[in-house]
Amino acid sequence: MKLTNKRILLTGATGGIGSALARQLAAKGANLILVGRNQSKLGALLHQISRGESVTPAQHLSLCADLSQPDDIEALHRQCLTWRDQGITIDMLINNAGSNEFAYLAQRSSEAITRELQLNLLAPILLCQKAMSWLNHPGQIMNIGSTFGAIGYPGYTTYCAGKAGLYRFSEALNRELSDSGITVQYLGPRATDTDLNDQRVTELNQQLGNKTDSPEAVATAIVHSLEQETPARWLGWPEKLFVRLNQLIPKVVTASIRKQHATITDFARKLP
Ligand SMILES: NC(=O)c1ccc[n+]([C@@H]2O[C@H](COP(=O)([O-])OP(=O)(O)OC[C@H]3O[C@@H](n4cnc5c(N)ncnc54)[C@H](OP(=O)(O)O)[C@@H]3O)[C@@H](O)[C@H]2O)c1
């Protein structure tokens, strides 16, 4: 879908990938609804993307919401209905907000696991469901996943579970909505240089020789997938190959990760 003059609701807008994506979508002429938890960060981003648009100013909006809280999801939904009634219709929903904690399962608290799954899996599912009543037709939904949605990796058990669930959900909903004019997409970045990854993870990736993308490169790939309406896409080489290998011959991937196990364990034991 062409992005010019499209109204796009973007969650996680103030994060590394989200803010790079907001800048690129605005540069393409889209009107954004930026969703985040921090009003001042949202205000700064709004200001940044609105600069240079003085000839035909875009109508960017923002909304504060903690998407791990059902009440905030409900409030966001009500606001979208109000906008719809005021003639502000939404063409795309990008579920990009996400979090993780690099730690072995035994180290984690039940509360942290619940919060993570609420944000990474339940929130996008509920937003997709609610979007059925306010998303334009034709419309698009993009769910941001992860390589770890296709490859189970030590230290990320529940993150893998959430992102894998989001992948299967996106596939199922896309098939459910065929002929409705709404497409549902999934894009899985590999390691990306943002605040999501603490210092231990950055060092672990360096030690293991894992490549890291810039948030701008990931944003460019998301924009391209939106324009092309690509149903599912995994970023990075050799990660793409490992995603496929893990489907076809998982024991090859298990053997490869086993060689990294001692190093991963060392880093997971360190305090963040
Ligand atoms: N970075 C990577 O290595 C990597 C790799 C693969 C996939 N991804 C995925 O890419 C997406 C963006 O991640 P990122 O790397 O840009 O991370 P980031 O820089 O940490 O940004 C995360 C964004 O999510 C928002 N967020 C966190 N908790 C929230 C909550 N409870 N309610 C509402 N918003 C919340 C944050 O808002 P605040 O500004 O309020 O904190 C922030 O805008 C995520 O879905 C992530 O899983 C990232």
Side-chain angles (χ1 to χ4, degrees):
M1 187 187 277
K2 263 186 84 191
L3 299 168
T4 315
N5 293 327
K6 295 294 182 305
R7 168 78 57 192
I8 303 176
L9 191 151
L10 170 64
T11 72
T14 48
I17 294 173
S19 55
L21 183 56
R23 285 190 289 273
Q24 291 191 25
L25 292 171
K28 289 263 178 187
N31 298 313
L32 302 179
I33 300 173
L34 307 172
V35 181
R37 286 178 300 181
N38 183 312
Q39 192 61 65
S40 62
K41 277 203 227 171
L42 283 170
L45 183 61
L46 264 183
H47 180 71
Q48 200 183 65
I49 63 173
S50 302
R51 269 192 320 217
E53 291 179 343
S54 49
V55 182
T56 47
Q59 304 290 308
H60 303 305
L61 301 164
S62 71
L63 198 115
C64 239
D66 181 341
L67 299 175
S68 64
Q69 302 300 318
D71 287 353
D72 280 23
I73 293 182
E74 198 52 44
L76 190 156
H77 171 56
R78 282 196 305 274
Q79 182 59 61
C80 290
L81 290 173
T82 304
W83 279 325
R84 182 199 63 187
D85 295 345
Q86 293 170 344
I88 301 173
T89 52
I90 299 172
D91 305 287
M92 289 187 194
L93 162 67
I94 304 179
N95 282 307
N96 166 68
S99 72
N100 67 30
E101 181 188 351
F102 172 57
Y104 279 7
L105 190 63
Q107 300 172 282
R108 314 252 336 256
S109 70
S110 312
E111 292 74 20
I113 292 170
T114 305
R115 248 195 337 267
E116 189 184 282
L117 283 167
Q118 259 163 353
L119 180 67
N120 292 347
L121 182 60
L122 205 55
I125 289 176
L126 290 175
L127 284 176
C128 286
Q129 194 242 350
K130 293 186 183 308
M132 298 302 119
S133 55
W134 40 257
L135 200 64
N136 260 342
H137 293 67
Q140 266 172 262
I141 296 173
M142 164 67 79
N143 292 322
I144 302 302
S146 166
T147 301
F148 288 159
I151 299 176
Y153 202 80
Y156 286 106
T157 48
T158 57
Y159 184 67
C160 292
K163 294 297 190 181
L166 188 60
Y167 171 69
R168 212 40 102 200
F169 166 78
S170 306
E171 182 184 68
L173 186 63
N174 192 40
R175 289 172 180 168
E176 188 169 300
L177 294 177
S178 57
D179 299 334
S180 73
I182 294 180
T183 56
V184 185
Q185 301 166 252
Y186 179 95
L187 182 140
R190 65 175 172 187
T192 309
D193 185 14
T194 72
D195 290 346
L196 187 79
N197 302 313
D198 63 37
Q199 191 55 31
R200 294 170 308 151
V201 176
T202 305
E203 284 172 21
L204 173 66
N205 279 329
Q206 281 164 356
Q207 194 154 324
L208 296 177
N210 294 335
K211 292 199 190 105
T212 301
D213 286 323
S214 69
E216 288 74 21
V218 175
T220 301
I222 297 171
V223 166
H224 187 258
S225 285
L226 287 169
E227 288 176 329
Q228 300 301 314
E229 302 192 28
T230 317
R233 184 172 172 200
W234 309 95
L235 300 187
W237 186 264
E239 287 78 2
K240 274 182 212 187
L241 172 67
F242 275 95
V243 165
R244 189 50 67 92
L245 262 181
N246 200 43
Q247 287 170 330
L248 299 174
I249 343 175
K251 68 179 179 190
V252 172
V253 179
T254 302
S256 166
I257 292 174
R258 191 165 288 157
K259 288 187 198 141
Q260 304 176 334
H261 194 260
T263 309
I264 299 168
T265 305
D266 281 349
F267 278 92
R269 283 200 183 123
K270 292 182 188 174
L271 285 175

